[in-house]
Each structure stands twice: as structure tokens, then as C-alpha cells.
Amino acid sequence: MLVIALSALTPLLMMILAGYFTYRYMVLPENSAEVLNGFVYYFTLPALLFCSLATTPFDEIAQGRFIAGYMLALLVIYIVGFLASKFILKGHFTENTMRACSACFPNSGYLGLPIMMYLFDGSRQALLATTLGIILPIVIVILIVSSFALHHADKSQPRIRIVWDIVLSMCKAPMIGASLIGAVFSFMQYELPDFLETGLHNFGMASVPCALFSVGILLAKNKMEMKVMNIGMVNSIKLIIHPLLTAMCLLAFGVKGTMLLMGILLTGMPVAAISCVLAESNKTLEAETSATFLFSMVLYIPMLYLTLLVTDMWGLSLV
């Protein structure tokens, strides 16, 4: 297990270091991070989300109890992260939104598949749970987009107009639009041609190296501020409170056994790189979010061991 965790994390760290030293030695232009994040936000990540949803049978996506428990935990942690940032760190609205995103958005897109496939011996159930773990956090993107749209809205306008502007902003967000279209494809049972499915998937997977390379640039560019309290609070919520709350929510909806353990492990993943992309896109807490992301990966391995130890004591073993 240690080998697979290190094997999954090492490429992430290498990509971040590559971006860091690239900026330090001025190999690429000054605005490289902005360009890469724009590429991920508008092109590669929407392609990956669309492909993931469009190629997953709708009856497999519709795991009602698991989805309800998993989503409830995501939303509650988002609120907890927002309120903790507001009242403990005294952040303003956009800062609270970004910290809430980091606190609840797991890195299941990159780490989820290799780690879950290893832990559960490549089972179909693990693949399904991981797919849902990648898809469901899109709701957090919707919350972030609507939150920023609300914050920037002209409050002197009629409420109907404000709501319309928020809905329009969400529809224009590439990740949200791509996810909705992918869900429609799945529901209507449309099949993508093999060449298109492969092409979209490969194109979408460029999100990972581009986002991580950009994180390295931001760490070098913004002279990472060691705000221990800020970083520690967000990571405590993400790596400890989130999986504990997920366990309670899934149990409340009647999810037991292997699916319960998978849900706990998926939400216990470190902060997602998409948080850094969203922070850069909205020019909010770029340096802090990158530092939070980096430290969550360092803390992940001991937390994974601890999670498996505790779940095994409660009868949720991998065997």
C-alpha cells in the first residue's frame, strides 16, 4: 500500500517541482500559470468530465443511497469550511469560498483510480465508486461559480435579474456545461465512437500535468506564505472531518460494507488540484491554496494508514 501511494504521489510532486524550477529559472514566460490554468479550465477538464459522464451507463451512475450520502457530506463540509474561514480566519466572501472548496474537493480524479484499484484488487465496484467520486464534486464547482457570480452581481438590480445572471454564469462555465451534456448523453444512452472517446479522454488527462505544473509556478511566483493556521485548518477539515462526516452520512442512508469504506477513502483524498485552478481563475488566495494543496499531499500517506487502521477496527476491512 505504501508503494502504490508513493507511486501515485511522486509524479504529482515531480510535476509541481518542474513548474517551480521552470519559473525560478525563467524557462517560460511570466504569464505561463495563467495560460495553463485557462487551458485546463476551458478545455481539458471539461473534456474529461464530459467523457467520464457520457461513457458511464446511467443506471450505474444512479446509485441513489451512495450519491445522497456522499453529496450530503460534500455540501456540509463546504458550509463548515466557509463558516470556519469566515469566523475563525475572518476572511471575506471570496476567500471563504475558496477555502471551502479546498476543504471539501477531494483529489479523486488523479489519486482515486490507482489507489482504489490497488486497495480493492481492480474490482468493478471500486471503479464505479471512483467514477462517482470524480463526478459528484462538480456540484462544488456550481456552488463556487454561483457564489462568485452573486458576489459580483449588481445588487441594485431586481432579484429575478440577479438570479438570471447567476444561472447564465453557471451555464457559461465550461465544466458545468460539459457535465450536463455528458449526463444527457448517458441518460439517452448515446454511445461515443471509440476514436472520440479515446481522444477526449487522452485530451482531458492533460488537465493533471498542466494543473500541477501551474501549481509549481504559483508556488515560486507568489513566494508561498506559510500561514500555518490557515493551511492547518483547511487540511484538518479535508483529511479528518470530511471522511468522518462521510461515514456518518453514508450510514444514515443505509450504505454499508465495501461501498461505505470506498466512500470514506475517496473523501479522505487530499485537496484537488482543481482548487488551485479555480483560485487562479478567480484571482483569490492563489498562494495559500497552492500551499494547502501541497501540504495535503504530504499529510495524505499517514492519514491513509490511520483511516485504514480505524476502519478495520470498526469491521470495515479491505479483505
Side-chain angles (χ1 to χ4, degrees):
M1 182 173 62
L2 177 61
V3 173
I4 192 65
L6 287 174
S7 297
L9 287 169
T10 300
L12 274 74
L13 295 173
M14 290 177 66
M15 293 172 200
I16 292 170
L17 286 173
Y20 181 87
F21 287 110
T22 293
Y23 183 83
R24 288 294 301 271
Y25 292 101
M26 302 302 292
V27 176
L28 295 177
E30 179 82 15
N31 65 336
S32 297
E34 291 83 353
V35 173
L36 285 171
N37 277 321
F39 178 62
V40 172
Y41 184 78
Y42 288 104
F43 297 101
T44 58
L45 195 55
L48 184 61
L49 291 170
F50 168 76
C51 187
S52 297
L53 279 164
T55 57
T56 302
F58 193 78
D59 58 342
E60 292 189 9
I61 297 174
Q63 299 287 322
R65 293 182 178 182
F66 182 87
I67 291 173
Y70 196 94
M71 280 306 308
L72 179 59
L74 274 177
L75 294 172
V76 171
I77 289 297
Y78 180 89
I79 295 170
V80 169
F82 188 96
L83 294 177
S85 175
K86 179 178 180 179
F87 293 108
I88 297 176
L89 302 181
K90 308 299 181 182
H92 59 67
F93 187 86
T94 54
E95 291 177 341
N96 301 336
T97 299
M98 280 315 310
R99 290 187 183 116
C101 173
S102 298
C104 72
F105 208 125
N107 198 355
S108 48
Y110 186 81
L111 290 178
L113 194 59
I115 290 179
M116 297 294 283
M117 289 295 99
Y118 175 82
L119 293 177
F120 295 95
D121 199 24
S123 73
R124 176 70 179 171
Q125 199 174 24
L127 179 60
L128 171 59
T130 305
T131 301
L132 290 173
I134 295 170
I135 293 169
L136 294 178
I138 192 63
V139 174
I140 302 305
V141 177
I142 294 174
L143 278 173
I144 292 169
V145 171
S146 59
S147 295
F148 278 101
L150 178 62
H151 181 71
H152 295 298
D154 184 357
K155 304 301 191 298
S156 63
Q157 293 181 341
R159 290 185 180 180
I160 295 178
R161 177 66 182 178
I162 294 175
V163 172
W164 172 250
D165 288 342
I166 292 172
V167 172
L168 196 61
S169 296
M170 287 192 292
C171 292
K172 289 180 179 178
M175 289 182 287
I176 297 173
S179 298
L180 292 174
I181 296 171
V184 170
F185 265 69
S186 177
F187 180 75
M188 299 300 294
Q189 298 183 346
Y190 295 144
E191 290 190 12
L192 294 176
D194 289 341
F195 76 91
L196 186 58
E197 178 183 343
T198 303
L200 285 172
H201 176 76
N202 292 340
F203 179 64
M205 286 306 293
S207 302
V208 175
C210 289
L212 295 174
F213 193 88
S214 175
V215 168
I217 294 175
L218 291 174
L219 288 174
K221 182 178 180 180
N222 296 311
K223 308 299 182 184
M224 184 173 62
E225 298 179 21
M226 291 299 297
K227 296 182 178 179
V228 177
M229 183 176 181
N230 300 21
I231 296 171
M233 187 194 75
V234 173
N235 274 309
S236 296
I237 296 173
K238 178 74 214 68
L239 298 174
I240 300 174
I241 299 176
H242 194 179
L244 286 173
L245 181 63
T246 299
M248 291 187 286
C249 290
L250 290 175
L251 284 170
F253 281 95
V255 179
K256 299 178 181 179
T258 304
M259 285 298 285
L260 172 60
L261 178 57
M262 289 178 181
I264 295 170
L265 292 173
L266 284 168
T267 51
M269 298 279 172
V271 175
I274 185 59
S275 297
C276 302
V277 175
L278 290 169
E280 176 64 23
S281 300
N282 293 286
K283 303 301 178 186
T284 304
L285 295 180
E286 300 100 309
E288 183 183 316
T289 303
S290 298
T292 301
F293 166 77
L294 185 61
F295 276 89
S296 72
M297 290 197 300
V298 174
L299 295 170
Y300 174 62
I301 293 179
M303 288 306 302
L304 176 60
Y305 272 103
L306 181 61
T307 300
L308 290 173
L309 179 63
V310 172
T311 52
D312 184 65
M313 290 172 57
W314 286 90
L316 293 172
S317 60
L318 293 172
V319 182

